[in-house]
Amino acid sequence: MLEWLGDLFGLLWGAVVLVLSVDFLSDLLLLSVLYVVGRYVYVAFRGNIQSGKPARSFKLSSEEFGAGKELDAINPATNEKITTVRAFTPDEVNECVRRARVAQAEWAETSFDERRAVLQDLMHAVVEQQDTICHLSMQDTGKTRMEAEYGEILTTCEKIRHLIRNGEDALKSESRGVPLLLFLKKAWVEYYPMGVIGIIVPWNYPFHNVASAAVAALFAGNSAVIKVSECSLSSKDYFEKLFRKVLAARGHNPELVTLIVGEGETGAALVKSGVDKILFIGSPAVGKRVMEGASANLTPVILELGGKDPFIVLEDADLDHATEVALRGVFVNCGQNCIAAERIYVHNKILPKFEEVVAKKVAAFRQGASVNGGCFDVGSMTMPRQLEIVDELVQAAIQDGAKVLAGAKRDEKPGLFYRPTVLSNVNHSMRIVNEEVFGPVMLIIPFSSDDEAVRLANSTEYALGSSIFSGNAARAHEVARRVVAGMATINDFGVGYLIQSLPFGGTKISGFGRFGGAEGLREFSRQKSVVTDRFPGVLTKAPAFTKYPIPENGPAIVKNAIHFFYGPESPSGLWAKATHLCAMLQLLITLK
Ligand SMILES: *[C@@H]1O[C@H](CO)[C@@H](O)[C@H](O)[C@H]1NC(C)=O
Ligand SMILES: *[C@@H]1O[C@H](CO)[C@@H](O)[C@H](O)[C@H]1NC(C)=O
């Protein structure tokens, strides 16, 4: 493998940056030049990933929607109806799963090279079709173009790149150690495809949520049936075709990836359909119903159930940096992120300055419908009901004494626009601090010691991500260590998501199981522990005293052996071990 060339250039780049401390733009330029040179050399030697020629051509099916209830796709930023589609009925869901199973049986036999080839085509298709993917995502959710580029495209490409490069490492068999007693054995773990993965994703990233789960499922040798939300209907058809065209062009069954739409009934049908694993991303309340439904077939589940992430700014933090990152952590995607910075804890000493800076910046935010062109900082919200919830929580907090530094009301524009809001004088007796807001609201909560920050951070039921800001790396890490969460980021927000080698997921009511990283791929795999003889032909025969009929002295031999192997290793313990060894040998001799 020549992959290391890329790494070499990366290191070189790091060294140059350190030595010259040039500004970011020149870094980026230099990186780009070195990267292109590195990849050029690599590709020249190895060539692009190849797999077998398409064996057959598959016709793409024309039935993209079900025969169930009619659902309207509304653009939340303009209130315009885009289209009407029909939900999948439970019978149709079962039929999709059946077909996905047929497709998977063949796919499971493909080599990693073949899977890499499909993923590479897919990545290139995503890069080519950025405009359309972004447009559809904006149209479905009201997000801005920048949010679409970052959240839908960049994250997806990086996930695919990571799988192409590192996926196989996570899934190849892994050797495991054996105990002294069984030194003639050799052991390892093997990973096999599971079958059909049932995936239920929310609307906040209509493309990325689908693509991210689908590529991981595919790479691990599975097929995927993915239920998208009733709030991301208009993009479903295009996204499905994107996958299916790439698969069909390589001669694989396009039904390896199926997208279905519908409401609760459709999701419930998928959960009970007998799929081999379920990945559910949504709320704790629905997560419980998913787990309940999955229990009928004992289908294993991964649950990612949202968060209420703390964002802790200690008094020695770089304030410019912390405010800038806090704004992104709160307002990106209009706050509709499971890892949104939902609770900003700011040390009392820097509180006035922090509030002044964020209030000023938020007041200058441009908000609008990116889908019609134009550059905006914040878009609209996506779900009518969620906008009501956000406003309800904000108004209740104001009643309870929160101070409005910005926003706190709906915008007059048509569409689901909620003004970017900053509330200070917020504390834990308010509902808004304990419930997931999922909207463009910054809650500033003061604290005066690290202990207090940790106590407050730990006091919600959610525990997904966390951010800690400090000028002292050791102190920041100590706070990060004590905050109960599935993920911690020091002096930044959310960047872990672009590091696809890391598992993603939470604890407490934020759920369990992981996607992303080796852990995520293994969650989509059946594991098998394998044991064989270390030296072929040398069988490890069971000792005579364990054979039927069990001899009288058998148990005493085992007892002495246990003392010998597992007894304490202090000086007197070693003496005891020796005595037990002698006793054991004596018994073994009498056995004959
Ligand atoms: C929360 O803030 C309100 C308003 O300032 C105050 O009345 C209340 O006592 C505070 N509660 C706690 C637990 O600090
Ligand atoms: C986090 O805080 C909770 C509640 O205060 C506490 O029960 C828990 O022990 C804390 N965890 C750690 C690791 O400090």
Side-chain angles (χ1 to χ4, degrees):
M1 288 295 262
L2 289 154
E3 281 282 353
W4 58 268
L5 265 174
D7 297 337
L8 183 69
F9 281 108
L11 281 177
L12 211 63
W13 168 67
V16 171
V17 171
L18 277 180
V19 171
L20 299 182
S21 280
V22 276
D23 70 43
F24 182 70
L25 201 63
S26 2
D27 290 357
L28 207 64
L29 272 173
L30 197 62
L31 170 68
S32 310
V33 172
L34 288 174
Y35 180 76
V36 168
V37 174
R39 292 308 290 187
Y40 184 83
V41 175
Y42 170 63
V43 171
F45 275 94
R46 186 179 191 256
N48 263 311
I49 298 171
Q50 298 294 339
S51 80
K53 285 171 231 47
R56 297 150 297 169
S57 59
F58 279 97
K59 224 178 101 228
L60 296 180
S61 76
S62 51
E63 27 175 313
E64 299 103 5
F65 291 100
K69 188 180 160 190
E70 283 196 348
L71 303 166
D72 286 337
I74 310 277
N75 179 336
T78 60
N79 264 350
E80 286 159 3
K81 190 167 122 179
I82 313 159
T83 177
T84 301
V85 302
R86 301 188 78 117
F88 281 62
T89 63
D91 282 346
E92 289 167 325
V93 173
N94 289 329
E95 175 61 11
C96 289
V97 171
R98 193 192 62 75
R99 293 194 195 184
R101 202 172 283 296
V102 171
Q104 191 270 338
E106 239 175 78
W107 178 250
E109 302 300 319
T110 53
S111 68
F112 283 118
D113 265 343
E114 281 174 293
R115 296 179 201 167
R116 269 190 286 267
V118 166
L119 258 52
Q120 191 179 60
D121 290 355
L122 186 73
M123 185 165 75
H124 294 160
V126 172
V127 171
E128 284 302 310
Q129 295 172 39
Q130 283 186 64
D131 285 344
T132 315
I133 298 171
C134 286
H135 178 83
L136 291 169
S137 304
M138 291 190 290
Q139 177 177 281
D140 265 344
T141 63
K143 69 176 64 191
T144 67
R145 177 70 194 231
M146 190 67 166
E147 289 159 355
E149 288 288 355
Y150 257 94
E152 310 283 1
I153 309 289
L154 180 67
T155 48
T156 304
C157 288
E158 179 49 31
K159 169 122 198 172
I160 299 176
R161 189 205 65 81
H162 171 79
L163 287 175
I164 289 175
R165 181 153 176 189
N166 307 97
E168 189 176 349
D169 287 344
L171 297 180
K172 65 184 181 206
S173 35
E174 191 183 56
S175 158
R176 297 290 167 97
V178 297
L180 190 61
L181 265 172
L182 290 171
F183 71 101
L184 284 176
K185 298 292 189 196
K186 187 162 79 164
W188 65 90
V189 182
E190 289 175 354
Y191 299 93
Y192 296 91
M194 292 196 105
V196 184
I197 313 286
I199 296 162
I200 302 178
V201 290
W203 40 263
N204 53 349
Y205 292 93
F207 181 64
H208 177 71
N209 288 344
V210 165
S212 164
V215 291
L218 284 177
F219 192 81
N222 305 291
S223 59
V225 176
I226 307 168
K227 184 202 161 288
V228 302
S229 152
E230 55 271 32
C231 290
S232 48
L233 299 173
S234 81
S235 52
K236 175 258 178 205
D237 189 27
Y238 186 87
F239 293 165
E240 184 175 64
K241 286 222 169 79
L242 180 72
F243 274 93
R244 291 188 159 190
K245 278 182 190 160
V246 164
L247 285 161
R250 288 266 177 192
H252 301 293
N253 189 333
E255 287 175 348
L256 283 167
V257 176
T258 303
L259 270 60
I260 59 178
V261 298
E263 297 177 318
E265 189 196 37
T266 311
L270 181 58
V271 166
K272 294 189 178 140
S273 65
V275 290
D276 299 280
K277 183 116 188 192
I278 292 160
L279 164 64
F280 172 78
I281 306 178
S283 68
V286 182
K288 285 183 191 172
R289 295 218 297 276
V290 167
M291 209 167 156
E292 210 178 304
S295 72
N297 290 316
L298 287 176
T299 310
V301 293
I302 305 171
L303 300 178
E304 201 278 86
L305 306 177
K308 187 76 195 166
D309 291 4
F311 184 107
I312 301 172
V313 188
L314 303 179
E315 78 283 5
D316 62 355
D318 178 326
L319 200 61
D320 278 348
H321 177 67
T323 49
E324 195 185 301
V325 179
L327 291 172
R328 186 153 43 84
V330 173
F331 294 107
V332 72
N333 219 38
C334 214
Q336 302 168 123
N337 288 307
C338 44
I339 52 160
E342 291 236 354
R343 294 174 286 150
I344 310 285
Y345 295 104
V346 182
H347 194 284
N348 267 316
K349 273 193 194 145
I350 52 169
L351 186 65
K353 185 79 187 138
F354 188 97
E355 291 183 345
E356 189 195 319
V357 174
V358 293
K360 203 163 138 210
K361 291 219 167 142
V362 170
F365 275 179
R366 297 157 304 167
Q367 191 173 27
S370 287
V371 75
N372 298 329
C375 184
F376 295 100
D377 303 305
V378 189
S380 78
M381 292 191 58
T382 305
M383 267 179 73
R385 175 73 193 117
Q386 194 62 32
L387 186 138
E388 282 168 26
I389 293 172
V390 169
D391 195 45
E392 226 174 86
L393 287 170
V394 167
Q395 300 315 325
I398 295 170
Q399 289 261 306
D400 291 344
K403 208 170 109 209
V404 179
L405 300 186
K409 56 171 182 267
R410 277 193 77 145
D411 201 278
E412 310 78 42
K413 286 193 265 303
L416 303 178
F417 289 98
Y418 198 80
R419 290 263 183 90
T421 298
V422 181
L423 299 180
S424 75
N425 199 33
V426 168
N427 66 35
H428 276 254
S429 59
M430 300 172 183
R431 252 180 73 202
I432 201 166
V433 179
N434 300 295
E435 292 173 29
E436 194 174 28
V437 175
F438 225 64
V441 180
M442 179 182 278
L443 303 174
I444 304 179
I445 308 157
F447 69 89
S448 48
S449 71
D450 293 8
D451 283 345
E452 189 188 6
V454 170
R455 188 176 54 77
L456 293 174
N458 276 351
S459 66
T460 57
E461 287 186 278
Y462 288 98
L464 187 59
S466 58
S467 281
I468 296 95
F469 286 72
S470 166
N472 177 335
R475 182 177 173 201
H477 185 240
E478 176 58 16
V479 172
R481 202 184 59 74
R482 293 170 62 198
V483 171
V484 178
M487 296 166 291
T489 310
I490 291 169
N491 288 332
D492 214 329
F493 159 82
V495 287
Y497 202 74
L498 273 181
I499 303 175
Q500 280 290 333
S501 55
L502 285 172
F504 183 97
T507 177
K508 289 162 85 175
I509 68 162
S510 290
F512 47 78
R514 293 291 182 265
F515 58 91
E519 291 82 353
L521 280 176
R522 290 175 178 181
E523 292 251 18
F524 283 170
S525 307
R526 238 185 270 288
Q527 305 190 5
K528 185 178 286 173
S529 303
V530 184
V531 180
T532 184
D533 301 306
R534 182 172 299 281
F535 308 106
V538 183
L539 297 179
T540 347
K541 299 236 169 94
F545 59 87
T546 65
K547 284 185 185 155
Y548 298 114
I550 303 290
E552 197 103 333
N553 283 337
I557 294 173
V558 177
K559 182 180 161 185
N560 280 296
I562 290 171
H563 271 293
F564 173 69
F565 279 110
Y566 303 107
E569 297 195 328
S570 59
S572 63
L574 286 174
W575 178 247
K577 272 178 186 258
T579 343
H580 285 293
L581 182 63
C582 290
M584 186 174 78
L585 291 173
Q586 216 168 11
L587 287 166
L588 279 170
I589 291 162
T590 61
L591 201 64
K592 295 284 169 191

PDB file of all heavy atoms in Angstrom, residues 256-280:
ATOM      1  N   LEU A 256     -30.225  -2.781  -2.755  1.00  0.00           N
ATOM      2  CA  LEU A 256     -29.411  -2.804  -1.535  1.00  0.00           C
ATOM      3  C   LEU A 256     -29.705  -1.582  -0.672  1.00  0.00           C
ATOM      4  O   LEU A 256     -29.483  -1.590   0.535  1.00  0.00           O
ATOM      5  CB  LEU A 256     -27.924  -2.811  -1.909  1.00  0.00           C
ATOM      6  CG  LEU A 256     -27.395  -4.159  -2.379  1.00  0.00           C
ATOM      7  CD1 LEU A 256     -26.029  -3.997  -3.033  1.00  0.00           C
ATOM      8  CD2 LEU A 256     -27.309  -5.125  -1.213  1.00  0.00           C
ATOM      9  N   VAL A 257     -30.140  -0.505  -1.316  1.00  0.00           N
ATOM     10  CA  VAL A 257     -30.506   0.695  -0.547  1.00  0.00           C
ATOM     11  C   VAL A 257     -31.929   1.087  -0.917  1.00  0.00           C
ATOM     12  O   VAL A 257     -32.226   1.327  -2.075  1.00  0.00           O
ATOM     13  CB  VAL A 257     -29.549   1.868  -0.841  1.00  0.00           C
ATOM     14  CG1 VAL A 257     -30.011   3.121  -0.107  1.00  0.00           C
ATOM     15  CG2 VAL A 257     -28.128   1.508  -0.434  1.00  0.00           C
ATOM     16  N   THR A 258     -32.797   1.095   0.076  1.00  0.00           N
ATOM     17  CA  THR A 258     -34.191   1.468  -0.145  1.00  0.00           C
ATOM     18  C   THR A 258     -34.578   2.552   0.848  1.00  0.00           C
ATOM     19  O   THR A 258     -34.300   2.421   2.039  1.00  0.00           O
ATOM     20  CB  THR A 258     -35.116   0.237   0.078  1.00  0.00           C
ATOM     21  OG1 THR A 258     -34.690  -0.802  -0.786  1.00  0.00           O
ATOM     22  CG2 THR A 258     -36.558   0.582  -0.203  1.00  0.00           C
ATOM     23  N   LEU A 259     -35.183   3.589   0.334  1.00  0.00           N
ATOM     24  CA  LEU A 259     -35.674   4.642   1.215  1.00  0.00           C
ATOM     25  C   LEU A 259     -37.194   4.568   1.261  1.00  0.00           C
ATOM     26  O   LEU A 259     -37.838   4.470   0.202  1.00  0.00           O
ATOM     27  CB  LEU A 259     -35.244   6.023   0.702  1.00  0.00           C
ATOM     28  CG  LEU A 259     -33.905   6.560   1.224  1.00  0.00           C
ATOM     29  CD1 LEU A 259     -32.766   5.645   0.849  1.00  0.00           C
ATOM     30  CD2 LEU A 259     -33.657   7.968   0.689  1.00  0.00           C
ATOM     31  N   ILE A 260     -37.735   4.597   2.456  1.00  0.00           N
ATOM     32  CA  ILE A 260     -39.192   4.587   2.560  1.00  0.00           C
ATOM     33  C   ILE A 260     -39.631   5.819   3.342  1.00  0.00           C
ATOM     34  O   ILE A 260     -38.870   6.353   4.145  1.00  0.00           O
ATOM     35  CB  ILE A 260     -39.710   3.294   3.239  1.00  0.00           C
ATOM     36  CG1 ILE A 260     -39.119   3.143   4.640  1.00  0.00           C
ATOM     37  CG2 ILE A 260     -39.345   2.068   2.415  1.00  0.00           C
ATOM     38  CD1 ILE A 260     -39.622   1.909   5.385  1.00  0.00           C
ATOM     39  N   VAL A 261     -40.850   6.274   3.055  1.00  0.00           N
ATOM     40  CA  VAL A 261     -41.358   7.445   3.780  1.00  0.00           C
ATOM     41  C   VAL A 261     -42.639   7.063   4.503  1.00  0.00           C
ATOM     42  O   VAL A 261     -43.306   6.090   4.149  1.00  0.00           O
ATOM     43  CB  VAL A 261     -41.657   8.637   2.835  1.00  0.00           C
ATOM     44  CG1 VAL A 261     -40.405   9.091   2.141  1.00  0.00           C
ATOM     45  CG2 VAL A 261     -42.734   8.286   1.825  1.00  0.00           C
ATOM     46  N   GLY A 262     -42.942   7.851   5.493  1.00  0.00           N
ATOM     47  CA  GLY A 262     -44.181   7.609   6.212  1.00  0.00           C
ATOM     48  C   GLY A 262     -44.096   8.150   7.619  1.00  0.00           C
ATOM     49  O   GLY A 262     -43.090   8.739   8.008  1.00  0.00           O
ATOM     50  N   GLU A 263     -45.152   7.907   8.373  1.00  0.00           N
ATOM     51  CA  GLU A 263     -45.198   8.384   9.746  1.00  0.00           C
ATOM     52  C   GLU A 263     -44.934   7.213  10.692  1.00  0.00           C
ATOM     53  O   GLU A 263     -44.320   6.224  10.297  1.00  0.00           O
ATOM     54  CB  GLU A 263     -46.554   9.044  10.003  1.00  0.00           C
ATOM     55  CG  GLU A 263     -46.756  10.273   9.114  1.00  0.00           C
ATOM     56  CD  GLU A 263     -48.119  10.910   9.279  1.00  0.00           C
ATOM     57  OE1 GLU A 263     -49.130  10.178   9.363  1.00  0.00           O
ATOM     58  OE2 GLU A 263     -48.188  12.141   9.311  1.00  0.00           O
ATOM     59  N   GLY A 264     -45.461   7.330  11.895  1.00  0.00           N
ATOM     60  CA  GLY A 264     -45.207   6.317  12.926  1.00  0.00           C
ATOM     61  C   GLY A 264     -45.509   4.891  12.492  1.00  0.00           C
ATOM     62  O   GLY A 264     -44.735   3.970  12.756  1.00  0.00           O
ATOM     63  N   GLU A 265     -46.600   4.734  11.751  1.00  0.00           N
ATOM     64  CA  GLU A 265     -47.027   3.385  11.354  1.00  0.00           C
ATOM     65  C   GLU A 265     -45.967   2.709  10.478  1.00  0.00           C
ATOM     66  O   GLU A 265     -45.673   1.520  10.629  1.00  0.00           O
ATOM     67  CB  GLU A 265     -48.352   3.508  10.580  1.00  0.00           C
ATOM     68  CG  GLU A 265     -49.007   2.189  10.294  1.00  0.00           C
ATOM     69  CD  GLU A 265     -50.091   2.298   9.215  1.00  0.00           C
ATOM     70  OE1 GLU A 265     -49.915   3.071   8.242  1.00  0.00           O
ATOM     71  OE2 GLU A 265     -51.086   1.586   9.343  1.00  0.00           O
ATOM     72  N   THR A 266     -45.385   3.503   9.577  1.00  0.00           N
ATOM     73  CA  THR A 266     -44.369   2.971   8.658  1.00  0.00           C
ATOM     74  C   THR A 266     -43.109   2.588   9.437  1.00  0.00           C
ATOM     75  O   THR A 266     -42.525   1.527   9.216  1.00  0.00           O
ATOM     76  CB  THR A 266     -44.032   4.030   7.580  1.00  0.00           C
ATOM     77  OG1 THR A 266     -45.248   4.524   7.031  1.00  0.00           O
ATOM     78  CG2 THR A 266     -43.164   3.449   6.494  1.00  0.00           C
ATOM     79  N   GLY A 267     -42.726   3.466  10.370  1.00  0.00           N
ATOM     80  CA  GLY A 267     -41.556   3.184  11.198  1.00  0.00           C
ATOM     81  C   GLY A 267     -41.763   1.938  12.042  1.00  0.00           C
ATOM     82  O   GLY A 267     -40.896   1.067  12.123  1.00  0.00           O
ATOM     83  N   ALA A 268     -42.948   1.830  12.627  1.00  0.00           N
ATOM     84  CA  ALA A 268     -43.249   0.671  13.481  1.00  0.00           C
ATOM     85  C   ALA A 268     -43.174  -0.608  12.660  1.00  0.00           C
ATOM     86  O   ALA A 268     -42.677  -1.640  13.133  1.00  0.00           O
ATOM     87  CB  ALA A 268     -44.627   0.835  14.106  1.00  0.00           C
ATOM     88  N   ALA A 269     -43.672  -0.542  11.410  1.00  0.00           N
ATOM     89  CA  ALA A 269     -43.633  -1.726  10.557  1.00  0.00           C
ATOM     90  C   ALA A 269     -42.195  -2.142  10.280  1.00  0.00           C
ATOM     91  O   ALA A 269     -41.864  -3.331  10.289  1.00  0.00           O
ATOM     92  CB  ALA A 269     -44.359  -1.450   9.242  1.00  0.00           C
ATOM     93  N   LEU A 270     -41.330  -1.161  10.066  1.00  0.00           N
ATOM     94  CA  LEU A 270     -39.918  -1.482   9.794  1.00  0.00           C
ATOM     95  C   LEU A 270     -39.285  -2.131  11.032  1.00  0.00           C
ATOM     96  O   LEU A 270     -38.561  -3.124  10.932  1.00  0.00           O
ATOM     97  CB  LEU A 270     -39.153  -0.214   9.397  1.00  0.00           C
ATOM     98  CG  LEU A 270     -37.672  -0.395   9.067  1.00  0.00           C
ATOM     99  CD1 LEU A 270     -37.483  -1.391   7.925  1.00  0.00           C
ATOM    100  CD2 LEU A 270     -37.019   0.941   8.697  1.00  0.00           C
ATOM    101  N   VAL A 271     -39.601  -1.577  12.197  1.00  0.00           N
ATOM    102  CA  VAL A 271     -39.028  -2.105  13.445  1.00  0.00           C
ATOM    103  C   VAL A 271     -39.425  -3.572  13.650  1.00  0.00           C
ATOM    104  O   VAL A 271     -38.635  -4.382  14.113  1.00  0.00           O
ATOM    105  CB  VAL A 271     -39.485  -1.236  14.648  1.00  0.00           C
ATOM    106  CG1 VAL A 271     -39.198  -1.926  15.959  1.00  0.00           C
ATOM    107  CG2 VAL A 271     -38.808   0.129  14.594  1.00  0.00           C
ATOM    108  N   LYS A 272     -40.669  -3.889  13.274  1.00  0.00           N
ATOM    109  CA  LYS A 272     -41.169  -5.251  13.521  1.00  0.00           C
ATOM    110  C   LYS A 272     -40.970  -6.185  12.332  1.00  0.00           C
ATOM    111  O   LYS A 272     -41.422  -7.327  12.353  1.00  0.00           O
ATOM    112  CB  LYS A 272     -42.661  -5.187  13.851  1.00  0.00           C
ATOM    113  CG  LYS A 272     -42.909  -4.464  15.164  1.00  0.00           C
ATOM    114  CD  LYS A 272     -44.346  -4.593  15.594  1.00  0.00           C
ATOM    115  CE  LYS A 272     -44.556  -3.899  16.924  1.00  0.00           C
ATOM    116  NZ  LYS A 272     -45.805  -3.164  16.993  1.00  0.00           N
ATOM    117  N   SER A 273     -40.303  -5.687  11.274  1.00  0.00           N
ATOM    118  CA  SER A 273     -40.259  -6.454  10.026  1.00  0.00           C
ATOM    119  C   SER A 273     -39.301  -7.634  10.054  1.00  0.00           C
ATOM    120  O   SER A 273     -39.246  -8.400   9.115  1.00  0.00           O
ATOM    121  CB  SER A 273     -39.839  -5.528   8.884  1.00  0.00           C
ATOM    122  OG  SER A 273     -38.502  -5.103   9.119  1.00  0.00           O
ATOM    123  N   GLY A 274     -38.530  -7.769  11.116  1.00  0.00           N
ATOM    124  CA  GLY A 274     -37.572  -8.871  11.148  1.00  0.00           C
ATOM    125  C   GLY A 274     -36.227  -8.497  10.552  1.00  0.00           C
ATOM    126  O   GLY A 274     -35.437  -9.379  10.204  1.00  0.00           O
ATOM    127  N   VAL A 275     -35.941  -7.188  10.434  1.00  0.00           N
ATOM    128  CA  VAL A 275     -34.594  -6.774  10.004  1.00  0.00           C
ATOM    129  C   VAL A 275     -33.590  -7.267  11.047  1.00  0.00           C
ATOM    130  O   VAL A 275     -33.966  -7.647  12.160  1.00  0.00           O
ATOM    131  CB  VAL A 275     -34.480  -5.228   9.853  1.00  0.00           C
ATOM    132  CG1 VAL A 275     -35.265  -4.734   8.663  1.00  0.00           C
ATOM    133  CG2 VAL A 275     -34.899  -4.521  11.130  1.00  0.00           C
ATOM    134  N   ASP A 276     -32.317  -7.266  10.675  1.00  0.00           N
ATOM    135  CA  ASP A 276     -31.319  -7.882  11.553  1.00  0.00           C
ATOM    136  C   ASP A 276     -30.751  -6.921  12.598  1.00  0.00           C
ATOM    137  O   ASP A 276     -30.141  -7.346  13.579  1.00  0.00           O
ATOM    138  CB  ASP A 276     -30.193  -8.460  10.699  1.00  0.00           C
ATOM    139  CG  ASP A 276     -30.740  -9.523   9.777  1.00  0.00           C
ATOM    140  OD1 ASP A 276     -30.931 -10.651  10.248  1.00  0.00           O
ATOM    141  OD2 ASP A 276     -31.042  -9.215   8.606  1.00  0.00           O
ATOM    142  N   LYS A 277     -30.909  -5.620  12.334  1.00  0.00           N
ATOM    143  CA  LYS A 277     -30.468  -4.626  13.323  1.00  0.00           C
ATOM    144  C   LYS A 277     -31.241  -3.358  13.055  1.00  0.00           C
ATOM    145  O   LYS A 277     -31.621  -3.095  11.912  1.00  0.00           O
ATOM    146  CB  LYS A 277     -28.967  -4.362  13.177  1.00  0.00           C
ATOM    147  CG  LYS A 277     -28.400  -3.401  14.201  1.00  0.00           C
ATOM    148  CD  LYS A 277     -27.406  -4.107  15.080  1.00  0.00           C
ATOM    149  CE  LYS A 277     -26.945  -3.259  16.240  1.00  0.00           C
ATOM    150  NZ  LYS A 277     -25.800  -3.869  16.896  1.00  0.00           N
ATOM    151  N   ILE A 278     -31.450  -2.578  14.100  1.00  0.00           N
ATOM    152  CA  ILE A 278     -32.146  -1.310  13.915  1.00  0.00           C
ATOM    153  C   ILE A 278     -31.257  -0.188  14.429  1.00  0.00           C
ATOM    154  O   ILE A 278     -30.703  -0.271  15.532  1.00  0.00           O
ATOM    155  CB  ILE A 278     -33.487  -1.297  14.678  1.00  0.00           C
ATOM    156  CG1 ILE A 278     -34.443  -2.297  14.025  1.00  0.00           C
ATOM    157  CG2 ILE A 278     -34.102   0.098  14.681  1.00  0.00           C
ATOM    158  CD1 ILE A 278     -35.553  -2.717  14.924  1.00  0.00           C
ATOM    159  N   LEU A 279     -31.109   0.828  13.579  1.00  0.00           N
ATOM    160  CA  LEU A 279     -30.481   2.074  14.036  1.00  0.00           C
ATOM    161  C   LEU A 279     -31.579   3.111  14.066  1.00  0.00           C
ATOM    162  O   LEU A 279     -32.200   3.394  13.041  1.00  0.00           O
ATOM    163  CB  LEU A 279     -29.363   2.499  13.075  1.00  0.00           C
ATOM    164  CG  LEU A 279     -28.880   3.952  13.219  1.00  0.00           C
ATOM    165  CD1 LEU A 279     -28.247   4.193  14.590  1.00  0.00           C
ATOM    166  CD2 LEU A 279     -27.866   4.311  12.131  1.00  0.00           C
ATOM    167  N   PHE A 280     -31.830   3.644  15.256  1.00  0.00           N
ATOM    168  CA  PHE A 280     -32.856   4.669  15.377  1.00  0.00           C
ATOM    169  C   PHE A 280     -32.225   5.957  15.869  1.00  0.00           C
ATOM    170  O   PHE A 280     -31.497   5.963  16.868  1.00  0.00           O
ATOM    171  CB  PHE A 280     -33.960   4.229  16.348  1.00  0.00           C
ATOM    172  CG  PHE A 280     -34.939   5.339  16.653  1.00  0.00           C
ATOM    173  CD1 PHE A 280     -35.930   5.681  15.742  1.00  0.00           C
ATOM    174  CD2 PHE A 280     -34.841   6.070  17.831  1.00  0.00           C
ATOM    175  CE1 PHE A 280     -36.810   6.726  16.004  1.00  0.00           C
ATOM    176  CE2 PHE A 280     -35.720   7.118  18.101  1.00  0.00           C
ATOM    177  CZ  PHE A 280     -36.707   7.445  17.191  1.00  0.00           C
TER     178      PHE A 280
END
